[in-house]
Amino acid sequence: MGEFKHKHSLGQNFLKDKGVLAKIIDSVDVKEDDLIIEVGPGQGALTKFLKLFKANLRCFEVDTRVKKYLDSFEDEKTKVIYNDFMKVDLEEETNDINYKDLYVIANLPYYITTPIIEKMISSPLNVKAMVLMVQNEVADRLSAKPGSKDYGAITVYLNYYYNVEKLFFVHRSAFDPAPNVDSAVIKLSKKDSELELKDKELFFKLVQDSFKMKRKNIRSNLKGYDLDKIAKVLESYGLDLTVRAESITLQCFVDMANELSK
């Protein structure tokens, strides 16, 4: 990597393991008329593999020092945009491309993983799938199932929109410099249809409040809500108000929100 000084503030840990890069590519079926968004290409290790799809490619990089590494990738279908991904208008940056499906494939800086995922969910762009390198603990949290200790508000939120699966574990030695945590690659595949909600805002607030204090039960965490309505829904799932949020399924949360909306 030469004399390049990695910026800790940007979460710069560049992926160098070609086997891992190849597995990321194998996890999606991108066609030439699709669009890939890559966040934080760094010195282009993953970009080089993404180019093999011959698809439209937009890379967003905040550090202009890597320009000398990325310049060679640019052509009529590949463009590198030097800007903070969280500040860019994605519609504006992609409206010149006629594409079929949109994929986000990235080795994400750990400190900004959740905001980037949230940006894509709230974006008007229709993302078919995201394949993301994240901290291993975060991967466990995002892909957790009801009843496990990792299951939380972010899990429910993501599962409303996507099927989430942890594809594989990545040891810290796959990076330069090696971070002090291990990583994992997750895949978020857009659901064909969302569960019907009468009030989305209420649903997300309800989920957030349910997990407010992890050790407390639903009766304690949701005492500001109509507990009779909540108890009625929980009963239909064989549960009661002493249950903790980590044991409640997405569908049950949806039913609770819809009952409260009546």
Side-chain angles (χ1 to χ4, degrees):
M1 294 284 174
E3 292 303 305
F4 187 84
K5 286 200 176 351
H6 299 76
K7 279 192 179 173
H8 184 67
S9 63
L10 297 178
Q12 283 180 332
N13 301 94
F14 297 147
L15 188 55
K16 63 178 183 181
D17 187 319
K18 288 193 168 75
V20 171
L21 290 161
K23 279 170 87 172
I24 290 173
I25 299 305
D26 285 346
S27 69
V28 274
D29 184 19
V30 180
K31 304 284 191 283
E32 288 190 22
D33 57 352
D34 292 337
L35 168 62
I36 302 169
I37 286 178
E38 184 187 8
V39 185
Q43 295 179 348
L46 179 57
T47 318
K48 190 182 291 183
F49 278 75
L50 295 177
K51 293 277 288 183
L52 300 173
F53 286 123
K54 296 185 168 69
N56 298 289
L57 179 58
R58 287 289 175 274
C59 307
F60 294 89
E61 176 56 63
V62 73
D63 188 359
T64 52
R65 296 177 307 148
V66 295
K67 198 172 185 304
K68 60 185 175 186
Y69 302 100
L70 299 176
D71 275 353
S72 60
F73 294 116
E74 295 213 68
D75 56 32
E76 59 191 38
K77 291 188 89 172
T78 301
K79 191 176 169 191
V80 182
I81 294 141
Y82 294 94
N83 203 342
D84 180 345
F85 182 74
M86 293 307 295
K87 292 176 182 165
V88 297
D89 182 328
L90 287 174
E91 264 191 305
E92 205 174 282
E93 295 291 0
T94 56
N95 63 11
D96 60 324
I97 312 164
N98 285 320
Y99 62 89
K100 187 170 176 284
D101 290 319
L102 170 59
Y103 296 86
V104 179
I105 305 174
N107 168 22
L108 293 182
Y110 295 150
Y111 72 99
I112 203 170
T113 298
T114 307
I116 286 174
I117 293 173
E118 285 174 345
K119 178 175 174 119
M120 293 316 305
I121 287 175
S122 58
S123 155
L125 301 177
N126 184 21
V127 183
K128 183 168 185 182
M130 296 192 247
V131 176
L132 309 170
M133 173 84 70
V134 299
Q135 200 171 320
N136 188 48
E137 276 178 29
V138 174
D140 287 340
R141 201 154 65 236
L142 301 185
S143 61
K145 299 286 177 263
S148 72
K149 65 176 174 58
D150 292 313
Y151 187 73
I154 186 72
T155 325
V156 181
Y157 171 70
L158 272 190
N159 274 274
Y160 180 73
Y161 298 100
Y162 292 93
N163 291 312
V164 186
E165 62 182 311
K166 182 178 177 180
L167 295 184
F168 56 91
F169 172 86
V170 181
H171 192 267
R172 61 194 75 182
S173 61
F175 298 88
D176 181 32
N180 51 14
V181 291
D182 293 314
S183 301
V185 172
I186 56 165
K187 184 175 185 180
L188 286 69
S189 307
K190 188 77 185 274
K191 289 185 171 176
D192 294 332
S193 59
E194 292 169 9
L195 296 172
E196 202 175 313
L197 271 177
K198 292 176 183 164
D199 184 340
K200 240 183 211 188
E201 218 173 289
L202 171 66
F203 167 72
F204 291 124
K205 187 179 184 316
L206 174 76
V207 170
Q208 206 70 49
D209 289 343
S210 298
F211 287 93
K212 201 162 46 187
M213 289 174 282
K214 265 277 209 186
R215 310 299 304 159
K216 301 274 189 181
N217 62 23
I218 285 296
R219 179 184 277 116
S220 302
N221 279 337
L222 298 182
K223 49 178 177 254
Y225 292 78
D226 185 333
L227 289 176
D228 290 340
K229 285 185 173 182
I230 289 169
K232 183 178 148 192
V233 174
L234 288 173
E235 201 180 312
S236 70
Y237 284 86
L239 304 168
D240 59 34
L241 291 169
T242 63
V243 73
R244 284 187 188 152
E246 65 199 40
S247 299
I248 299 175
T249 63
L250 168 66
Q251 183 67 66
C252 182
F253 275 119
V254 166
D255 290 349
M256 278 158 59
N258 286 342
E259 182 64 30
L260 290 165
S261 297
K262 284 180 182 174

